[in-house]
Amino acid sequence: MVPLLILISLVTTTLIWALSHIVKNMLLVRELQRKLPNFATIPAKPVLGNAHLFKRDPTPPGIFATFTRFHARYGNDLIGQGLFNQPVLQVTSAPVVEQVIQTRTIKKSIIYEFMRPWLKEGLVTSLGKKWAQRRRIITPAFHFKILEEFLGIFKERTEVLVDKLKEQVGKGDVNIYEHVTLCTLDIISESAMGVKLNAQDDPNSSYVQAVKEMSDIIFRRLFSVMRDFKIVFLMSEAAVRQREALQTLHKFTDSVILQRKAQLDDEQARKESQQKLEETDIYGKRKMTLLELLLNVSIEGHPLTNSDIREEVDTFMFAGHDTTTSCISFSAYHIARHPDVQQKLYDEMVRVLGQDFKNAELTYSTLQELKYLEMTIKETLRIHPSVPIIGRKSAGDMKIDGQTIPAGVDIAVLIYAIHHNPEVFPEPDKFDPERFNEENSAKRHPYSYIPFSAGARNCIGQKYALLEIKVTLVKLLGHYRLLACEPENEVKIKSDMTLRPVNGTFVKIVPR
């Protein structure tokens, strides 16, 4: 009898909580509708919110497609509703996006909470004072003199990629995404940590597989109806897989940190490992990896702990390969489908780097001269932005269109939809690098194109990424002509934490 009463009490309490939560959220939605008359409202149902609109598209590609269709159908800036009618603002018009990104009263959305078991309080997930401190100490690692030192690593690892692709010449469609993924992992491992991962020689490495597993779990949690109930996730099979993946990821990073720490302790030039690096150390001739920088800095007189260092290294290992993989592989795909673009790129490389440009000495300054290449990369990032959505949450006193937004409202900045706005980019599905010549770029609102986010929390590694992408494409086009794949292999996209191809990014490879 007693257990039955307890059960009835629990059920009753849960129902009361759910009902009060729904009513509260519905009232909040009405308040937002009143305050934001320029925002359209996506049709919703009690309890389910907008979930019923996803029922025909249960797979990840369908989820992403449904999001993009919302804006095509209802407009740029929308009021949506999640489970229990939790309000969410989906913004894509440049002026509103600017207001959201520039505000100081903002928090990160729930997806960043799902990243924390892996990235902890790294630069992507941290807030406030901690974020500001980390941003300040990491910024010198991306000084152009440091980046130029990394060009040698970019060159060596992409030459391995070119060599691996020789095996695919004449074999029809090649999924270049898989090859590029391994190459970018090698590059970020060596440049950020000073360790050769050699993923291109070991494509089935446990670290590579663990990165894929964690990305998939995080995205699926985001769209789970039980996403707000951590206890439910902890009892799921996905939680078991996450623990196994985290063990692999953190074990690898910890071993690298200990190894490099021991090496630095043996160097006579580093008399005091806790002493903050002088500018001459950072910008001198000796190549400085991100890991070494973290091992040598202090905050308020204290060196970073191994845990502090690991969360930043984990962050850059993830962010530094996944996003560049996306851009490089999608760039190759579009270049293969547009022979006129490919010829212009080749002619520019010959003019700037010489006839035998595949073996040319690449420098920071010469890569900046490849203007058409940069335009091509920008157009790729417009059509296929590596990070298609960023999430924020109002923290109180945030204003949109002059109206104060209540604290706790989720805000989704849909970069993919921003970049496909036909009012800003006519024929948005057409690949046209000339959109980014100086004249056309000057006409657009600065927040109508934000592939690396914008504002104070923009991507700290964007110059690093662009250099890596440029070197890789120069090497690829120096050795091969890229041809379009067969119609059945045309790219279809999905999104987890980054934009990805559903089944791969295919091209044909022909020697030059």
Side-chain angles (χ1 to χ4, degrees), residues 92-95 97-98 101 327 331 373-386 413-421 424-425 432-433 435-436 440-441 444-455 462 466 469:
T92 65
S93 66
V97 169
E98 180 177 17
I101 289 180
C327 184
S331 292
L373 175 60
E374 186 157 323
M375 289 160 56
T376 301
I377 293 169
K378 286 182 176 180
E379 176 68 345
T380 298
L381 288 169
R382 183 192 68 79
I383 292 182
H384 289 127
S386 298
V413 179
L414 278 84
I415 295 174
Y416 184 91
I418 294 169
H419 290 183
H420 285 76
N421 185 344
V424 180
F425 299 102
D432 181 12
R435 298 181 198 269
F436 291 95
N440 289 330
S441 296
R444 290 190 291 268
H445 190 290
Y447 281 78
S448 63
Y449 177 73
I450 52 170
F452 296 102
S453 187
Q462 58 184 286
L466 287 172
I469 294 162

Side-chain angles (χ1 to χ4, degrees), residues 4 86 88 128 133 161-162 176 279 343 367 383 444 503:
L4 180 59
Q86 178 74 34
V88 55
Q133 290 175 332
L161 170 65
V162 166
I176 200 168
E279 185 173 319
Q343 189 60 49
L367 287 170
I383 292 182
R444 290 190 291 268
N503 297 315

Side-chain angles (χ1 to χ4, degrees), residues 169-289:
V169 171
K171 292 186 178 180
D173 291 356
V174 178
N175 182 7
I176 200 168
Y177 187 90
E178 293 180 351
H179 295 275
V180 173
T181 297
L182 301 174
C183 177
T184 58
L185 270 172
D186 278 345
I187 288 172
I188 191 64
S189 175
E190 191 169 351
S191 58
M193 299 192 295
V195 173
K196 293 184 178 181
L197 186 59
N198 294 322
Q200 295 182 90
D201 295 320
D202 183 16
N204 296 314
S205 75
S206 58
Y207 184 87
V208 174
Q209 298 306 315
V211 169
K212 293 179 180 178
E213 182 81 323
M214 278 300 302
S215 297
D216 180 70
I217 291 169
I218 291 168
F219 182 76
R220 290 183 181 278
R221 283 190 73 187
L222 183 63
F223 291 97
S224 168
V225 295
M226 304 302 290
R227 72 175 196 175
D228 292 318
F229 300 93
K230 185 177 180 180
I231 188 65
V232 175
F233 172 75
L234 293 176
M235 294 186 295
S236 70
E237 182 268 338
V240 176
R241 292 190 288 116
Q242 175 171 289
R243 285 192 290 270
E244 293 173 350
L246 288 173
Q247 185 177 14
T248 299
L249 294 167
H250 290 161
K251 182 179 179 181
F252 172 79
T253 311
D254 286 341
S255 67
V256 170
I257 292 170
L258 291 174
Q259 177 186 339
R260 295 297 287 171
K261 204 168 189 177
Q263 291 173 353
L264 289 176
D265 286 343
D266 291 338
E267 292 182 11
Q268 292 299 318
R270 309 274 185 211
K271 292 183 180 180
E272 292 186 18
S273 61
Q274 296 180 8
Q275 180 179 354
K276 188 173 183 180
L277 292 177
E278 298 292 337
E279 185 173 319
T280 53
D281 291 323
I282 298 175
Y283 303 142
K285 293 183 178 179
R286 187 179 181 280
K287 188 160 53 187
M288 176 64 63
T289 65

Side-chain angles (χ1 to χ4, degrees), residues 27-88:
L27 291 173
L28 183 53
V29 169
R30 289 184 182 180
E31 181 184 355
L32 291 172
Q33 290 171 327
R34 178 180 58 81
K35 286 187 171 184
L36 302 173
N38 295 326
F39 280 60
T41 301
I42 304 171
K45 293 183 177 181
V47 184
L48 294 177
N50 303 135
H52 65 290
L53 299 175
F54 292 87
K55 64 183 179 181
R56 295 178 182 175
D57 296 315
T59 59
I63 288 172
F64 183 70
T66 300
F67 266 115
T68 58
R69 283 198 295 268
F70 284 159
H71 294 275
R73 181 172 181 179
Y74 301 110
N76 288 327
D77 301 317
L78 307 175
I79 299 172
Q81 296 174 59
L83 189 66
F84 299 127
N85 297 89
Q86 178 74 34
V88 55

Side-chain angles (χ1 to χ4, degrees), residues 83-125:
L83 189 66
F84 299 127
N85 297 89
Q86 178 74 34
V88 55
L89 302 180
Q90 298 179 18
V91 301
T92 65
S93 66
V96 174
V97 169
E98 180 177 17
Q99 293 172 65
V100 170
I101 289 180
Q102 293 287 10
T103 186
R104 293 183 179 274
T105 53
I106 201 78
K107 292 181 179 179
K108 294 269 186 161
S109 66
I110 193 168
I111 188 172
Y112 299 94
E113 292 299 319
F114 298 158
M115 293 181 186
R116 289 184 191 276
W118 178 12
L119 307 181
K120 304 296 183 182
E121 293 287 332
L123 198 60
V124 168
T125 53

Side-chain angles (χ1 to χ4, degrees), residues 303-323:
L304 298 179
T305 66
N306 284 358
S307 179
D308 292 332
I309 294 168
R310 185 182 72 187
E311 60 195 21
E312 297 302 347
V313 172
D314 280 335
T315 295
F316 279 90
M317 281 295 291
F318 163 67
H321 93 274
D322 226 25
T323 53

